[in-house]
Amino acid sequence: MALNDIGIDLGTTSIIIAMEGKGVVLNQPSIVAVDTRQNKVLAVGDDALAMVGRTPSYISAISPLKDGVISDHMLTRELICRFIRKVNASRIKPRVAVCVPAAITGIESDAVVEAVIAAGARQVYLIDEPLAAALGSDIDITAPEGHMIVDIGGGTTDIAVISLGGKVKSTSVNVAGNTFDDEILKYIRVKFNIAIGQRMAESLKKQVACCPELDFHGEMEIKGRSLITGLPQRLTITTDDLYEPVCMLVEQIGTAAHQVLEKTPPELAGDIYSQGIMLTGGGAQLKGLPEYMSKALKVKTRVSPDPVNCVALGTSKSLSMETRLETGFVDATPHLSHFGRR
C-alpha cells in the first residue's frame, strides 16, 4: 500500500480518515457552514459545528449526508476536498477507499465516487461498512468461517454475515445514532414539555441512556425552553426516563439482526454462535446494548475494541488486501468515464 493511500469513513455524523501505518489522521463532523447571501462555504467540520445554533439567519449549518448517503453533492465534495487536502501533503494523487452503507444504490455510490475523484483521487474503491468494520476490528474475514457484524453508525445500522472475504447475508435499517438523538429529543418535548437541542439529546444518549438489562442508573441536568411558559428551564433526566424511546429503537435493531440470522446457512450460524456477534460504530457504545443483544439473539455479543474508528481503519486496510476481498469491495474507477475523468 502506498504511503499516501487513504481510507474514508464517510459518515452521516462525522468523516473519519485513516492511513495504514498512521491510524486515524482526521475525525471531524460532517457539517458545512454556508453564507446563503453569497452561496459561499465559510467553514467545515469542527469550525462549522461550533456555529450550530449560534449563527445569524443568513448562515446555515448543513449536514450534506443523510442516512449514510449524499444528499447535497456540492457540499459533500467541498467537505471531502478540504479534508483530503488536509491529510495528504504529497503531490501524488492518492488511491482512496470509501466505505458505503450495505444497501446503497448505484446512483448513490456514483455520487460518492464523483465527489472523491473531484477531490483529487486517482483511483477509488468502495467497501461495504460491515466489511470495513470487521477488518478494523482485527477479524480475519478471508477465513472460511462466519462472522456477524452489527455496525451502528449515525444514519444507518448495517448488519452482515461475512465469510471468505465477502458478504453472505446482509441488511440495512434506518435506525442508528441520529435516530436515538431525535427520539430522545421528541420524548423530552412530549413528556416534560421542554424543548432541547440536538447536542443536548446526544449528550443524554451518551451519558444517561441505557438498555434495561444493565444495572445502570445515571442522571443529567438538561437546559432548554419550557413549552408552557416559553422561558428557560432546567430539569434532571434519569436513565429510567429514557427507557421507553431507547428500548423501542434497540428492539428494531435486534429484530433486523434476528432476521439476518434466520437466513444464514447453518454452518455459518454455528460459527457465529461460537464466536459471537461484533458491535461496531458509535452507536455500539450505548450502555447495555451488548447485554440486550446477547439475551435477544441467544448469542454472545461484544463491542469492537475501537468502535468509532474501526470502519475508517478497516477501510484503509482494505487497499492492501484488495485481491482477497470478494463481494462488498469494488474498484469504482473504471466506471468513471461519464464523470469526465481522463
Side-chain angles (χ1 to χ4, degrees):
M1 181 176 182
L3 292 178
N4 68 328
D5 284 353
I6 294 171
I8 301 177
D9 177 5
L10 194 63
T12 302
T13 305
S14 61
I15 292 179
I16 305 176
I17 298 180
M19 302 175 76
E20 194 166 5
K22 297 181 180 179
V24 173
V25 294
L26 182 142
N27 183 347
Q28 295 204 24
S30 308
I31 298 178
V32 182
V34 179
D35 184 336
T36 55
R37 298 173 304 178
Q38 304 176 33
N39 196 27
K40 177 182 178 182
V41 173
L42 300 177
V44 301
D46 289 331
D47 294 336
L49 179 63
M51 298 181 181
V52 173
R54 297 179 173 88
T55 60
S57 59
Y58 60 85
I59 297 179
S60 296
I62 301 171
S63 298
L65 294 114
K66 183 178 181 181
D67 298 334
V69 296
I70 295 175
S71 59
D72 188 310
H73 293 196
M74 295 302 296
L75 293 184
T76 300
R77 180 181 299 185
E78 188 70 23
L79 266 178
I80 294 172
C81 284
R82 293 197 184 197
F83 287 159
I84 288 182
R85 288 169 187 161
K86 181 174 286 191
V87 302
N88 180 40
S90 172
R91 294 183 179 180
I92 302 174
K93 291 186 176 182
R95 291 191 308 165
V96 178
V98 186
C99 77
V100 294
I104 193 171
T105 66
I107 294 175
E108 291 166 344
S109 62
D110 283 350
V112 172
V113 175
E114 181 181 12
V116 176
I117 287 293
R122 75 174 189 271
Q123 197 165 14
V124 183
Y125 294 83
L126 299 179
I127 181 171
D128 287 348
E129 282 192 24
L131 284 178
L135 286 172
S137 302
D138 293 325
I139 293 176
D140 182 8
I141 66 173
T142 62
E145 56 187 13
H147 300 277
M148 186 170 185
I149 303 294
V150 178
D151 180 61
I152 308 172
T156 60
T157 292
D158 292 319
I159 304 167
V161 172
I162 299 166
S163 180
L164 289 171
K167 298 181 301 178
V168 179
K169 296 293 178 182
S170 66
T171 191
S172 182
V173 291
N174 292 327
V175 176
N178 290 350
T179 319
F180 281 88
D181 299 344
D182 291 340
E183 288 302 317
I184 288 173
L185 187 151
K186 293 175 186 176
Y187 191 74
I188 296 296
R189 186 183 184 94
V190 171
K191 184 173 182 179
F192 299 104
N193 290 309
I194 296 179
I196 61 173
Q198 204 76 24
R199 297 176 73 175
M200 183 69 71
E202 182 182 11
S203 295
L204 283 170
K205 176 187 67 179
K206 292 180 177 179
Q207 298 179 34
V208 180
C210 178
C211 299
E213 279 72 16
L214 188 64
D215 185 17
F216 169 83
H217 298 282
E219 61 180 42
M220 174 180 158
E221 183 182 74
I222 64 170
K223 301 172 185 178
R225 175 174 52 83
S226 169
L227 297 176
I228 298 175
T229 66
L231 300 175
Q233 183 175 343
R234 295 185 178 188
L235 182 70
T236 298
I237 300 297
T238 68
T239 300
D240 290 347
D241 293 326
L242 301 180
Y243 276 158
E244 185 176 334
V246 168
C247 291
M248 173 188 69
L249 298 176
V250 167
E251 287 174 3
Q252 293 181 45
I253 294 175
T255 298
H258 189 277
Q259 291 171 347
V260 171
L261 279 174
E262 285 181 329
K263 300 174 183 177
T264 300
E267 293 82 0
L268 297 182
D271 292 339
I272 293 168
Y273 183 81
S274 300
Q275 301 187 49
I277 296 170
M278 180 72 77
L279 298 178
T280 64
Q285 299 175 105
L286 178 67
K287 295 176 181 66
L289 184 58
E291 291 82 0
Y292 173 87
M293 296 290 282
S294 295
K295 183 176 180 181
L297 302 176
K298 305 296 188 291
V299 180
K300 63 181 179 181
T301 305
R302 67 190 190 280
V303 178
S304 169
D306 191 351
V308 174
N309 295 320
C310 65
V311 171
L313 294 170
T315 301
S316 67
K317 188 176 181 179
S318 67
L319 287 165
S320 63
M321 54 186 303
E322 58 185 283
T323 58
R324 291 181 286 162
L325 299 178
E326 299 295 334
T327 58
F329 182 82
V330 296
D331 180 358
T333 317
H335 308 292
L336 297 180
S337 58
H338 57 296
F339 296 141
R341 183 178 182 272
R342 297 179 180 178

